[in-house]
Amino acid sequence: MFNTLIKFALSFLLLFLPFKLLSQMFRPDADWRFENFNVQNHFINREISDMAFDKYGYVWTCGRGIQRFDGNKTSYFYKFDIAPGALRDNYDDVIADNTGRIWACAAGLCYYDDASNKFVYLDGDSKHKIENANACLVQKNTLWFVSDLGLAKVDTRTLKITFTSLANITDPLGTYLLDENTLLVSSREKVYIYNIKTNTYSTRILTYKGGLVKIFAVKKNADGFYLGTNLGLLISKNLSDFSLVAKETAGVEIDDLTFLPSDKKEQYLFIATGGKGVLVYDTALKKIEISYTHDDNNLYSLPSNLVNKFVIDKESRLWIATGLGISMLDKGNQQWKIRAIAKTSTDEVAINKIVRDKYDSVKVWMATNSHKMMCFNWETKKVDNMFAIDKSPDVQQIYDFVQTDKNKWLIITQKKIVEWSATTGILHQMWLPLPDSTILNYYIHRIIMVDADTYFITTNLGLFKYQLSTHKVEAASVNRSSPKPTDPLKYNLLNGYYDNGSLWIASRNGLFNYNIAAKKTTFYRDTGELPHYFFFSIAPAVNNQIVCGAGNGLTIFNKQTKKFTFVNTIANLYRPLCESVITVDNMVWANTDAGILTYNLDTHISSKAEYEDPLIQIFPGSPLAKIGNDIVLGFRNGFAYFKPSAKNTALPSDPVIEKVSINNQPALPYYPGKTGSNKLVLSPNNNSVNIAFTAFLYTDPAHIKFRYKLNTANAAWQYTDQERNANYAQLPPGDYTFYVQSGNKNGLWNNHMASFSFLIEPPYWAAWWFRLLVIVAIGLILYQLYSYRIRHLLAIERIRERIASDFHDDIGSALSSISIFSEVADKQLREQAPAEKTREIISHISHYSRSMLDAMDDIIWAVNPQNDHFNDLAVRMREFAIPLLEAGNINFEINIPEDILNTRVKMEARKNIFLIFKESINNILKHSGCSSMKVSVNKLGNKIELAISDNGKGFEVETPNTRNGLKNMHKRVAELKGTLSIKSAPGEGTEVRLVFNII
């Protein structure tokens, strides 16, 4: 039964503990680090009254104007800008709506327009002119504000302003949402409870212990309404009865209240005060748990105790508007912290050694170069006490110390060994037992504790043993003889540690081992350069190894094999001087002249520690020390500490494309592109593109890395650290998308990329439609050439057919007639017919022969390409007409203008024109009986007119006739696609007029 109960109890504890641990997961840390932004890191060093974040991650602040801060630079907006769209007043407030648009109250209500980079005011209508606006509040898609006309609201989608029944609010302070249907509007005299649904309100005057309550902040949780007021932090269930929740806030103006997002139980209320910094109120324990104030010795404390506003960004970081700039709390960046030590004189304080108190874990002791021992409260990181050991020159500089008992210490200076008590001062002090001739030449370095009574002292002249119980010191292993020229620093010993009966000590010439029982000294050194064995510090490590900080990097000694391994390159740095080393598990932390470096003994991977600060870029003053979970080192006028197990994985924000310029001219005044949904279309000549981008890593803006690429043009990533723009010159036509990604100095890249798409159109001669048009045109040309060739071949074929037809009709007919008449003549000759009949037959043969020769001559003349001009036709016409007309005693006249003579005439046209002319001559000779004939050729526009006239007897044109000549003329005119007209009358001659086109 008892065992069953035990098992049940254990099961209950196993179930209960995770929930208990979960409930305790969030707890504020009194040593939280705040990042401060002022004039030293690109911001302003003045009072900030309000803050907001836009949709891209910019910090917007107001204080004598409005500022936009991206961690790298600050842009200013104020009323002194004479350009349109400037602010009307420098006393203003800012707020972001649910879309991330920035609104400002500055002598009216306005919003920031990305495209124009200006503020746009909403002035209402003529009856509702807004001259003042204050006390803004965002509720979903509604922006509430108080103007000189009363409570009003803006629909952030349509920008429509609606005024409520609540008017005449004097000196408004703020507007707060009590629930989804109720607003509280506070002023310096009253509060107004406004019902959104019914558009009605009630008025109250709030008092507490006789004082008028002015509400500056409201935060609701299960306890009720926490009110930040001029009288302190009050709580109320019904806004009627009030009580002060923390006496520390009595009479303190409370300007803002918030719970951090990680505080799921809303247990810790952060309070912005007007003079006491940030207070944290534990709502469960009903007390002020922590206060964060400005501390001159804490570089990461609040910059001012005047705190005006809290804003939480999308990364759950707390931003604080203060009297001296802005501050930011990032719970994920709490690894590296610094404390300064206040100077008590003009001398600088250098910390030489840091040790944790064995009897009080809260205390940490630090020794300085100015005869002082300092006791720190490690929870608050503040000095509890400072002790001056001795102002004599012999005790001026404390090199090392170890705790021998509660409040008792064994201290070494450059020349002396001192036993000291924090309560009674110096107990004993003594010199090393050295001859007077060497006493001025020796220097004490470090103490190595063996047990509560035995201590060893390292010096430049060897090793000494100190017995605490007898206060005696004696030589253990010293270099009494003259050193060899090859080993001048053999016994120059530095720090070391006790290891199972022996001492391992770093020397200037190798690794020193001293066996305590045997009093035997062994030096370990292998081949290699002297800087490999010029040791500054050693530390025990895993796998029986000793890590030595050397002049050439790290030297690692294996105690089993007695072999040395040299690590000369650490974090891509060649031969860094390692002044101090410490090991945590398998990781070596080395304090070097290049900063803090790490080296993994298992993987042999090294890196530059991310725990850096510009103030630590000096040679540290103390060895690295492990205090609890922290590694601590001292430096001039301060100390730094960090958790080696913690990693700062903070990434920059999503990158933002700020501006796009085309041919050095802004294409879009402001292009915060992320999705690439918008595409810019550019002409072929606008092909030089510059894209400016940024990202936000407020804690370390100088170490943001960027990589970008332009697909189509170059698919490989291009990397940049300092430059925040990409430039592309003379891009060819194409469809482009630009991508940019941000990362931190440790090579971690943001998963999100910003993109911007644009299209460079091709020139018209490279456009698809032009290429298609050229292809079509070439096709048409080829088709025309083909068609021309076909037509040409067909024309040649028709000419051949015509020539064949002419030969067949004219010459064939003549030859047939000649053949027939030849047969008749032959028959008559055989039959001895009368000679007259035979001669008649022969005359017919002669006639047909001449006709055939004339026809052949006409055909040959027509097809000859040398006769292609109208002049050749005119010559032919004269050669034919003149002999015949002269034989008939007919006067002949022909008129052809010069420009017509040079005109080309196609073969078919030339032939038909000549045959029509020839037929007309024959008709004149046979039928006209004329004494005169005239031929004239004229141009009628694009046509040619051929007129043939005579003064013969004429005829009735309408009278039917069977003449073949006229039929042949009409046939040839049809082939010319011309017109033929004949004008004649009895006794009035005849005129034949032919109009045709020879082109």
Side-chain angles (χ1 to χ4, degrees), residues 87-88 93-95 102-112 119-124 129-137 143-148 152-156 159-163:
L87 293 174
R88 296 174 181 173
D93 297 311
V94 292
I95 193 171
I102 294 296
W103 294 80
C105 297
L109 182 67
C110 58
Y111 66 90
Y112 175 73
F119 282 91
V120 178
Y121 276 84
L122 301 182
D123 286 328
K129 189 72 172 177
I130 301 174
E131 297 181 356
N132 293 290
N134 296 281
C136 289
L137 170 72
L143 174 69
W144 296 91
F145 68 99
V146 179
S147 73
D148 43 334
K153 61 181 179 180
V154 178
D155 188 320
T156 56
L159 303 183
K160 180 183 178 181
I161 299 176
T162 304
F163 291 90

Side-chain angles (χ1 to χ4, degrees), residues 477-497:
S477 178
V478 295
N479 188 13
R480 296 184 182 278
S481 60
S482 298
K484 298 178 182 179
T486 56
D487 285 341
L489 300 175
K490 183 175 181 179
Y491 284 77
N492 190 347
L493 306 179
L494 293 161
N495 77 321
Y497 66 93

